Amino acid sequence: MRDELWLGRQLAVQSGFVWLAEQAPGAPLFAVDRAAVADANIIIYDRGLEDALADILPLGSYAEPRPAIATLSGPAIAPRATQFAGEGWSVVQLVERSPASRLRWRNTAGELLRVRRGSGLSVVALAKSPLGPIRRDEGSLDDLPRLLDEAGDDFLTLVCGPLSPAIASASAAAPATLFTASGLAG
């Protein structure tokens, strides 16, 4: 728990970044991922994680489900997540763990390359185990296969960015928007 709190303070949710947080259906979110959800502008989630998210979604937050068909194949990262991060929003995407998860994670590199060409894209991997400490590793998009291999069977959170060229060249924040209600879209 102490490792989770330390990592939560050290890894701030930033504009133009996407947090991809792998979770088990029916299980509570890891503390580091709960903290990220609380700080994000936008939350995108696989539908199997709706109950865990509904229990912790802060008032005024915006969350939308990922289309069900998209959770079965393709990259772990949703096009909407990259779109929002590219516009300068901070995004957390909750990814449901499944037998095909690791293949979906490996396909994520191609999607990130499609969105953000050039250098400067960093990747931080947090390997989370319910019974042990969180392991942290850092690299670039080229290091993603190694980061996935080193995570092994642990749950994974990847922090990727900046996806916005404007954020990469300047520290501009996304405009604030006031929501009068909290809830899950869709």
Side-chain angles (χ1 to χ4, degrees):
M1 177 76 153
R2 196 160 80 170
D3 289 330
E4 291 178 353
L5 293 174
W6 180 84
L7 285 168
R9 286 194 305 270
Q10 295 298 315
L11 277 177
V13 176
Q14 299 177 38
S15 297
F17 282 72
V18 175
W19 284 59
L20 293 169
E22 184 178 38
Q23 302 292 325
L29 299 182
F30 287 89
V32 68
D33 299 327
R34 277 194 315 272
V37 165
D39 290 340
N41 298 126
I42 296 169
I43 298 106
I44 297 173
Y45 60 95
D46 289 351
R47 291 181 186 267
L49 302 172
E50 184 173 3
D51 291 341
L53 179 61
D55 291 341
I56 64 161
L57 190 65
L59 185 63
S61 296
Y62 176 77
E64 70 178 49
R66 187 165 186 204
I69 191 71
T71 63
L72 300 176
S73 62
I77 193 166
R80 292 279 287 170
T82 59
Q83 173 193 345
F84 285 130
E87 293 171 359
W89 298 99
S90 60
V91 179
V92 171
Q93 181 184 335
L94 300 179
V95 179
E96 182 177 354
R97 184 148 206 190
S98 72
S101 289
R102 285 302 184 241
L103 179 59
R104 290 179 61 209
W105 285 99
R106 292 194 186 284
N107 293 336
T108 297
E111 180 65 15
L112 288 169
L113 274 174
R114 185 188 68 74
V115 173
R116 176 78 164 90
R117 300 227 181 262
S119 62
L121 185 68
S122 68
V123 178
V124 176
L126 304 176
K128 309 168 293 188
S129 170
L131 302 176
I134 293 176
R135 295 185 327 270
R136 176 181 173 159
D137 200 354
E138 299 181 36
S140 67
L141 192 55
D142 293 336
D143 297 314
L144 187 56
R146 176 186 60 81
L147 297 172
L148 293 173
D149 289 342
E150 290 177 1
D153 289 332
D154 286 344
F155 287 86
L156 188 62
T157 293
L158 289 180
V159 181
C160 309
L163 295 183
S164 167
I167 300 291
S169 62
S171 58
T177 303
L178 177 64
F179 290 96
T180 58
S182 155
L184 306 174

